[in-house]
């Protein structure tokens, strides 16, 4: 599989944390990256911009892309749908998603900007992000004051 095809396939599968030669979806400080280094194809786990661990290394590009695809597909990819201080907004989004058979994950931040500054986070997994986009048009929903 060529790198562009691998990238496009992972996007189509709803993957939200990967990088292929520096191109991909890097929503977090942590990412598993497929890259060429010193004549070898490596899958490296990066944390805060630094290689934390080399997970796989080979000179064979096909072998590396195959490993990387399987590695990324085993992960659960969380996608943010709502980020709000309003329990009513959070509940509305959650109800709409779940009434359409979409499993949700609640992952709140109880002390976002200050103590007791509760922010509700609602997430979906993998390809369910596409269903969420169909339902709401644009995701994630962000309170105006949280868009900074």
């Amino acid at each position: 599989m060529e790198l562009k095809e691998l990238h496009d396939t992972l996007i189509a599968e709803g993957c939200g944390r990967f990088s292929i030669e520096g191109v991909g979806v890097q929503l977090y400080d942590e990412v598993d990256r497929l890259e060429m280094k010193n004549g070898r194809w490596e899958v490296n786990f990066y944390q805060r911009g630094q290689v934390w661990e080399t997970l796989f290394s080979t000179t064979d590009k096909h072998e590396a892309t195959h490993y990387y695809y399987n590695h990324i597909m085993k992960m659960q990819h969380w996608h943010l749908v709502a980020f709000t201080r309003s329990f009513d907004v959070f509940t509305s989004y959650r109800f709409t998603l779940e009434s359409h058979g979409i499993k949700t994950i609640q992952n709140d931040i109880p002390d976002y900007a200050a103590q007791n500054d509760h922010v509700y986070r609602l997430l979906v997994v993998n390809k369910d992000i596409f269903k969420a986009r169909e339902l709401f048009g644009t995701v994630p929903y962000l309170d105006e004051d949280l868009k900074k």
Side-chain angles (χ1 to χ4, degrees):
M1 181 180 305
E2 291 302 315
L3 299 182
K4 172 83 168 101
E5 180 185 1
L6 176 60
H7 173 273
D8 293 349
T9 299
L10 293 175
I11 293 289
E13 291 296 328
C15 298
R17 195 189 104 197
F18 70 91
S19 176
I20 302 167
E21 289 282 278
V23 177
V25 181
Q26 300 180 97
L27 303 176
Y28 308 98
D29 285 340
E30 301 174 350
V31 68
D32 296 296
R33 185 181 296 169
L34 173 63
E35 58 194 349
M36 172 62 80
K37 283 186 148 187
N38 300 318
R40 298 188 64 81
W41 287 99
E42 294 182 356
V43 175
N44 292 309
F45 172 68
Y46 278 76
Q47 189 170 29
R48 296 187 181 130
Q50 302 295 319
V51 174
W52 190 260
E53 179 182 8
T54 298
L55 305 171
F56 185 80
S57 180
T58 183
T59 57
D60 186 297
K61 181 180 177 182
H62 175 74
E63 188 179 358
T65 57
H66 181 73
Y67 173 89
Y68 191 70
Y69 172 81
N70 289 329
H71 175 71
I72 297 299
M73 290 302 295
K74 288 177 190 172
M75 294 178 184
Q76 191 176 67
H77 297 270
W78 290 13
H79 301 276
L80 184 64
V81 175
F83 191 72
T84 181
R85 288 187 173 97
S86 167
F87 183 72
D88 291 339
V89 169
F90 167 82
T91 303
S92 174
Y93 271 76
R94 184 178 190 169
F95 176 79
T96 301
L97 290 165
E98 291 182 356
S99 68
H100 284 85
I102 301 169
K103 181 183 173 205
T104 63
I105 298 169
Q106 181 175 355
N107 186 328
D108 297 348
I109 304 172
D111 301 313
Y112 180 68
Q115 189 171 2
N116 297 318
D117 177 22
H118 196 101
V119 175
Y120 300 92
R121 288 193 299 186
L122 186 65
L123 303 111
V124 297
V125 177
N126 297 345
K127 284 186 170 186
D128 283 343
I129 188 60
F130 304 125
K131 295 175 187 174
R133 286 180 185 150
E134 284 179 26
L135 288 170
F136 301 116
T138 301
V139 292
Y141 167 84
L142 303 171
D143 288 348
E144 284 300 317
D145 62 326
L146 295 172
K147 289 183 179 181
K148 306 175 196 173

